[in-house]
Amino acid sequence: MDCKFRTQLGLVTVDEDVIVKVAGYAALECYGIVGMASKRSTDGIVQLMGRENLGRGVRIQAMEDSVIVDLYIIVEYGISISAVASTIIDQVKYKIEHLTGVTVSRVNVSIEDIRV
């Protein structure tokens, strides 16, 4: 579903894939993240996704005037998970709102695995 919002100049439509990529790249820029995760529904195994498959670790739920972002990540061993999650939430929210103009109502971070 596309995200739409109105400005002084007219209606702006942002494709969901754009928001997914912005959220994925913003999350990967944060310290302590090894990568995005994809959980196969059949066996529950977590896979590490590269930069070319960011969409598998990001889910977007478009609301009327905002979006909810769900991130599934793999963190580095020895890093404070709460600090990493807090940084990711702030960074993803800022980048999406700054680069696309779409309001982010909530960012949910799920830590799927820890890698050494």
Side-chain angles (χ1 to χ4, degrees):
M1 171 183 261
D2 296 338
C3 300
K4 299 178 182 180
F5 61 94
R6 186 164 297 281
T7 66
Q8 301 167 353
L9 301 175
L11 183 67
V12 177
T13 303
V14 180
D15 189 40
E16 185 177 325
D17 291 337
V18 173
I19 298 172
V20 166
K21 287 183 181 180
V22 169
Y25 282 119
L28 287 178
E29 288 177 358
C30 296
Y31 179 75
I33 296 222
V34 175
M36 305 303 285
S38 173
K39 187 182 277 190
R40 289 191 280 175
S41 59
T42 55
D43 53 11
I45 295 175
V46 175
Q47 294 179 328
L48 178 63
M49 294 290 118
R51 290 191 180 269
E52 64 278 353
N53 291 325
L54 287 176
R56 294 201 177 170
V58 181
R59 301 282 182 266
I60 302 292
Q61 299 173 7
M63 310 304 273
E64 291 179 13
D65 58 347
S66 64
V67 294
I68 297 173
V69 181
D70 296 318
L71 298 169
Y72 302 93
I73 62 169
I74 299 172
V75 296
E76 184 178 333
Y77 177 77
I79 302 295
S80 171
I81 293 175
S82 62
V84 169
S86 177
T87 302
I88 291 170
I89 290 169
D90 294 338
Q91 183 78 3
V92 168
K93 182 175 171 47
Y94 172 77
K95 290 278 185 162
I96 291 175
E97 290 180 348
H98 179 72
L99 296 176
T100 65
V102 175
T103 304
V104 177
S105 62
R106 191 169 63 218
V107 177
N108 301 317
V109 178
S110 296
I111 312 297
E112 296 294 324
D113 200 4
I114 296 175
R115 295 283 167 100
V116 178

